[in-house]
Amino acid sequence: MNVTCFADAREYFPPNHFMMRCVRLQGHEAGPAESLWLGVSTIEPGGYTTMDASALEKHYVVLEGEVCIETDGGEVVLNAFDSCRLAPGERRALHNRSDRPAKILLAMPFAQAVPPVAARPISA
C-alpha cells in the first residue's frame, strides 16, 4: 500500500495553470502506480487553465466549490462531486469564476501505460 496524506502531497507545476496549486496523490513522484496517477488542484477565485488538449483521456471530480469546464463544444459548471471525462485530444480549459477556492481531483493514465504481461511457461 502507498499512502499519501493530502497535507504532505508534493506540488507539481503544469504549464498554463494560473492561480492554482497542484499536488500529486498517487503515481509519479507520489509513489508507485501501474496504470494511472491522481492529483488535486486547488483553484483560487479567478484561477484558470488555458485551452489545451492532452493525448490522454482525463477524468475530473470536483471536491469543493464549483469549476467551469470549457471545451470546443461549450461549457458546463461542475459542483461538488460532479464529474466529467475528457477524451484524448479534446481541448479543455478550467475556470473558477466564483468567489471561493475550488478543489478538483484529476485521474489520468500514464503516457506509456503498458498492460501486465501474463506469465509464460519456461521452455526446456
Side-chain angles (χ1 to χ4, degrees):
M1 176 173 13
N2 183 66
V3 174
T4 302
C5 294
F6 187 72
D8 300 327
R10 289 186 180 172
E11 193 168 3
Y12 70 102
F13 302 92
N16 303 316
H17 287 56
F18 303 95
M19 298 175 62
M20 297 175 67
R21 180 174 186 269
C22 304
V23 298
R24 285 219 174 86
L25 301 180
Q26 296 295 324
H28 294 293
E29 68 277 0
E34 293 181 17
S35 58
L36 61 87
W37 63 274
L38 297 175
V40 170
S41 296
T42 302
I43 311 170
E44 295 300 322
Y48 67 98
T49 69
T50 59
M51 183 73 96
D52 290 312
S54 168
L56 304 170
E57 76 176 337
K58 295 180 179 193
H59 296 262
Y60 289 118
V61 180
V62 174
L63 302 175
E64 292 178 15
E66 62 182 43
V67 178
C68 177
I69 311 288
E70 177 186 1
T71 67
D72 291 327
E75 62 183 51
V76 63
V77 174
L78 301 180
N79 294 289
F81 304 109
D82 293 343
S83 64
C84 73
R85 179 226 181 221
L86 296 163
E90 185 174 10
R91 292 175 359 117
R92 63 84 185 105
L94 279 61
H95 303 274
N96 180 355
R97 295 181 178 141
S98 77
D99 60 357
R100 301 181 4 214
K103 284 191 171 86
I104 191 165
L105 173 73
L106 165 65
M108 191 169 166
F110 291 114
Q112 298 298 322
V114 177
V117 176
R120 295 183 187 144
I122 299 175
S123 312

